[in-house]
Amino acid sequence: MRIPIKDVTPSIEHAKIFGWVHEERDLGGLTFLLVRDRTGILQVTIPKKKVSAEVLAALKEVTRESVVEVEGVVKATEKAPNGRELVPDTLKIISKAETPLPLDVSEKVPAELDTRLDNRYLDLRKPKVNAIFLIRNSVLRAINEYLWDNKFTQVQTPKIVAAATEGGTELFPLAYFDKEAFLNQSPQLYKQMLMGAGFDRVFEIGPIFRAEEHNTVRHLNEATSIDVEMSFANEQDAMSVLENAVAYAYQYVKDHCAAELETLEIKDFKVPSVPFPKITYKEAIEISTEGGEPLAFGDDLSSAAERVIGEKMGTMYFITEWPTSTRPFYTMPFEDKPEVCRAFDMMHPRMELSSGAQRCHIYDLLVKQIKDKGLNPDAFEFYLNPFRYGMPPHAGWGLGAERLVMTMLDLQNIREGVLFPRDRHRVSP
Ligand code: AMO
């Protein structure tokens, strides 16, 4: 029976393992094969004079990254990683890797990110790269768990759509029979319609598509959005769910991913404490201006401004009370000061992770806001109808899964947290 490599300990006498040849070290009379599976690396020690002719023949043939089956005797030894080695009775090459390899999996020869992404299947074999995705898996599981536990219903909304949500310029058009269609840039309109459909609390974790022209370390053309919408709620309620979900994900990773954090050499993994501090947009632009990045009311925050404010805050925080002019039509303005609205951004000191708001649930005001943005309400009829027949007040947010993982693990480029990233220049692999 196959034994995962991490379970091969001196307490078992005999083991059969399957894995990839991570490294081969030939010392003349003695050869070490380091064999790797998803659970770890094991030293296979081959004293050439003491093993069978079949083992020697396989050893002669084997190349790095070949898949092998090794069966033999487990021995305790101080000299090998984790204090054990396997001396083979049999060594079989299951699938031989060609040479030379397009990429060094043992991480001794560093490669440019582009080369790594071109050969992603090999890159993903690296323990450090693999650890990112095990942690990403735990982050999404934790958020699922948190939202389920708090009575949110998980939904799937269409990705082929007829209308823009976040402003008309960043859509990928699609050939959809004889109709105009696009890839959805956000589940925004659908999650709101589900509030009108009586779902009360929904969440969705799914792809969003944005035809952003710029190539940055924090933008993708296909990203994963964690979307929440809740009824009979305002922006304060939405922020509370958001900060608690994020803190829960951090705690989950701390509790369940110690080995992966060690692989990534992250020693001081801190769970952010809730509640996150809140500053208004006005305060944010003051901090930015004082810090040498001057901003006026109505400006979007540049990434340089985000950095200045983030440095001052030093933790996760919210920016609230945004100028109404800077936010999409679906945002609820304050009644007594309509120039600002009930929108928020949740920020990591490095960058924005999430946007949200209390939504406008008042039909006439919503139609007006659509027109004010220069859009045609007729194009939004399917979305607007639920607002005519009983729409609860509601609020929600969208949280970028890749940015959450990127900042949690201090990755330099958002692409490192995506299996097969899509950007301005990359649609393959
Ligand atoms: P927004 O457009 O701010 O809001 O997106 C929400 C979050 O999604 C992530 N994100 C991206 N991540 C990587 N690459 C991209 N191109 C990209 N675009 C967005 C970010 C961002 O903070 N409908 C609203 C949400 C809402 O109000 O519920 C929306 O889409 O982390």
Side-chain angles (χ1 to χ4, degrees), residues 52-93:
S52 68
E54 286 80 16
V55 170
L56 285 182
L59 184 61
K60 224 173 144 190
E61 275 291 300
V62 82
T63 52
R64 277 171 58 203
E65 294 306 313
S66 292
V67 173
V68 292
E69 173 189 338
V70 193
E71 192 167 4
V73 181
V74 183
K75 291 189 174 158
T77 166
E78 298 274 285
K79 289 180 199 147
N82 297 319
R84 83 295 194 230
E85 64 184 356
L86 186 66
V87 181
D89 298 326
T90 60
L91 168 65
K92 286 185 201 154
I93 302 173

Side-chain angles (χ1 to χ4, degrees), residues 165-166 170 185-189 191 208-210 212 214 218-229 327-328 330-331 344-346 351-357 359 395-404 414:
T165 63
E166 310 302 316
E170 294 162 1
Q185 54 183 181
S186 161
Q188 184 64 37
L189 305 186
K191 62 181 183 172
I208 56 170
F209 303 93
R210 303 206 172 182
E212 326 225 11
H214 44 295
R218 56 164 95 175
H219 287 94
L220 296 160
N221 292 114
E222 177 176 350
T224 307
S225 181
I226 302 161
D227 269 276
V228 152
E229 204 64 29
R327 305 300 281 215
Y330 50 75
T331 313
F344 58 83
D345 277 0
M346 197 205 89
M351 71 186 76
E352 174 203 314
L353 300 189
S354 172
S355 300
R359 322 300 189 185
W397 41 263
L399 167 64
E402 286 82 15
R403 287 197 189 174
L404 179 60
I414 195 166

Side-chain angles (χ1 to χ4, degrees), residues 159-184:
K159 303 305 154 208
I160 299 175
V161 298
T165 63
E166 310 302 316
T169 55
E170 294 162 1
L171 282 163
F172 285 111
L174 200 69
Y176 193 73
F177 308 111
D178 56 347
K179 284 196 170 55
E180 186 180 49
F182 307 95
L183 288 173
N184 204 6

Side-chain angles (χ1 to χ4, degrees), residues 246-260:
V246 168
Y248 188 89
Y250 266 81
Q251 187 65 52
Y252 190 94
V253 167
K254 192 179 170 77
D255 293 345
H256 294 87
C257 303
E260 289 80 11

Side-chain angles (χ1 to χ4, degrees), residues 165-167 281 298 300-301 319-333 339-347 352 354-359 369 373 396-398:
T165 63
E166 310 302 316
Y281 169 87
D300 267 326
L301 301 189
I319 303 176
T320 62
E321 299 192 26
W322 285 73
T324 306
S325 61
T326 63
R327 305 300 281 215
F329 61 79
Y330 50 75
T331 313
M332 182 67 115
E339 68 286 359
V340 284
C341 61
R342 294 179 180 275
F344 58 83
D345 277 0
M346 197 205 89
M347 312 291 296
E352 174 203 314
S354 172
S355 300
Q358 182 180 331
R359 322 300 189 185
Q369 295 193 154
K373 294 281 176 195
W397 41 263

Side-chain angles (χ1 to χ4, degrees), residues 381-402:
E381 195 189 351
F382 71 96
Y383 163 71
L384 285 168
N385 281 337
F387 292 79
R388 296 165 60 196
Y389 302 101
M391 177 60 92
H394 58 282
W397 41 263
L399 167 64
E402 286 82 15

